[in-house]
Amino acid sequence: MTDMENNAAGGAPTRSGFVALIGATNAGKSTLVNRLVGAKVSIVSHKVQTTRAIVRGIAIHDNAQIVFMDTPGIFKPRRRLDRAMVTSAWGGAKDADVIMLLIDSERGLKGDAATILEGLKEVHQPKILVLNKIDQVRREDLLKLAAAANEVVSFERTFMISALSGSGCDDLMDYLAKALPEGPWYYPEDQISDLPMRQLAAEITREKLFLRLHQELPYASHVETEKWEERKDGSVRIEQVIYVERESQKKIALGKGGEAIKAISTAARKELSEILEQPVHLFLFVKVRENWGDDPERFREMGLEFPR
């Protein structure tokens, strides 16, 4: 055991492992991962299916290193990108030490949540149920929801939380820290994500794009970091491309007189400067690439397997 692990564990054996968060789209998975890690590692927006590939957020609790796998929301796929995202989510679940099903308490076991519950019957890892947004639902309704879910799948434990306020999250972390197997930590103590910085920067810009244009811009947009230059004055120059499928979408992304792209760039640059703790010069370009959702290279950039 390293000195780092001994210090963290206070002499107790260290634990480490992977916890997969699965759930329907917009159940609050990314918000919860960011809450439990204590820093932003996954983007959050009003738009469904924002998370496209598995994002790993790393938290230390007591003597345990908990690696949370924020998976794409599971839903009925319609396009190639949808199929890749759903496959990624179930693949992440099957690779984990513990599976955490997150249910939106307001929506209950409707639609995709019911389908996921059925799918979990075939997955053999330990499973826990987490009911989110409990401050929006009456206590008796929460208990009925928990009972209904446990009738379908045998969960080890049920937790009731609010990812937004943090209510119930300490109990959840205490449980996970004890549930993971004994073993050395996978990552350095100060690392909070395994996402490369270039990819995280692209994700942040994609979040700002969705937050600004989620009602106007269709789902078919993608951001890539093309250049990353550390400059002698301590700043960094970042060039990114926003890919859309049609010329009409490009006009939306740019906005009248470039107003939209300037606002997106300003918001992304501000957050990147805070994360990197250095000045950021961010340059955004919008390019039309028809049917990018059928391009294997774009899938590799997103960390997804290209479904045939």
Side-chain angles (χ1 to χ4, degrees):
M1 186 182 293
T2 66
D3 290 340
M4 178 186 75
E5 290 165 337
N6 263 319
N7 291 338
T14 54
R15 294 178 178 272
S16 60
F18 293 83
V19 177
L21 271 79
I22 66 168
T25 55
N26 268 9
K29 295 186 299 300
S30 297
T31 301
L32 182 56
V33 166
N34 292 341
R35 162 73 62 182
L36 298 179
V37 171
K40 186 165 185 174
V41 294
S42 197
I43 71 171
V44 180
S45 88
H46 308 295
K47 209 172 183 70
V48 297
Q49 301 145 28
T50 305
T51 301
R52 287 179 174 168
I54 291 173
V55 177
R56 292 175 183 86
I58 304 155
I60 307 294
H61 191 77
D62 295 337
N63 61 322
Q65 186 177 69
I66 308 166
V67 185
F68 292 102
M69 303 161 69
D70 181 13
T71 63
I74 297 173
F75 57 102
K76 188 174 181 180
R78 295 182 179 84
R79 300 162 299 171
R80 193 190 294 269
L81 177 59
D82 297 344
R83 295 205 311 275
M85 288 161 59
V86 171
T87 299
S88 173
W90 280 117
K94 289 169 183 173
D95 289 340
D97 295 290
V98 177
I99 295 171
M100 191 156 79
L101 172 63
L102 193 66
I103 298 282
D104 180 332
S105 298
E106 289 186 289
R107 286 188 286 178
L109 302 181
K110 297 173 185 171
D112 293 328
T115 304
I116 295 165
L117 264 180
E118 287 297 320
L120 277 177
K121 289 180 179 179
E122 309 302 316
V123 181
H124 303 297
Q125 286 94 324
K127 296 173 278 287
I128 62 173
L129 174 66
V130 179
L131 303 182
N132 190 24
K133 306 180 186 177
I134 58 167
D135 45 350
Q136 308 293 324
V137 180
R138 294 184 309 169
R139 176 85 179 162
E140 53 265 41
D141 292 334
L142 288 170
L143 294 173
K144 287 178 186 175
L145 176 57
N150 276 275
E151 279 181 20
V152 182
V153 173
S154 296
F155 291 101
E156 306 278 330
R157 284 279 299 274
T158 297
F159 294 88
M160 300 186 183
I161 65 138
S162 167
L164 208 55
S165 73
S167 174
C169 289
D170 286 344
D171 289 341
L172 176 59
M173 289 293 278
D174 288 344
Y175 173 83
L176 291 172
K178 292 181 177 70
L180 295 179
E182 288 187 12
W185 292 354
Y186 291 100
Y187 298 95
E189 189 173 5
D190 59 351
Q191 188 170 337
I192 59 168
S193 175
D194 71 344
L195 203 62
M197 209 60 232
R198 291 169 69 106
Q199 196 174 338
L200 179 61
E203 287 289 277
I204 286 169
T205 299
R206 188 161 68 93
E207 177 189 60
K208 305 312 175 195
L209 181 76
F210 281 173
L211 289 174
R212 172 84 187 190
L213 301 171
H214 70 99
Q215 289 180 321
E216 300 112 297
L217 191 67
Y219 178 57
S221 58
H222 171 57
V223 181
E224 288 181 20
T225 301
E226 293 213 327
K227 289 185 180 177
W228 186 291
E229 179 192 353
E230 297 285 347
R231 305 178 70 168
K232 290 179 182 177
D233 62 3
S235 66
V236 59
R237 177 189 170 96
I238 302 171
E239 293 184 12
Q240 295 178 330
V241 176
I242 298 169
Y243 288 105
V244 294
E245 289 189 317
R246 291 188 291 279
E247 196 65 39
S248 59
Q249 296 170 3
K250 181 177 180 179
K251 289 176 182 175
I252 292 169
L254 291 172
K256 189 175 181 180
E259 180 187 2
I261 199 73
K262 285 176 190 171
I264 292 161
S265 178
T266 298
R269 185 177 68 245
K270 182 175 182 292
E271 185 160 327
L272 282 168
S273 296
E274 291 170 0
I275 290 172
L276 296 170
E277 297 180 338
Q278 66 187 121
V280 171
H281 307 283
L282 180 63
F283 298 88
L284 300 182
F285 306 91
V286 184
K287 293 183 181 179
V288 177
R289 177 169 283 166
E290 291 184 13
N291 301 319
W292 70 260
D294 294 322
D295 180 358
E297 182 60 32
R298 304 282 74 77
F299 280 70
R300 281 193 290 272
E301 282 286 338
M302 286 185 278
L304 292 170
E305 285 189 24
F306 185 73
R308 299 294 171 185

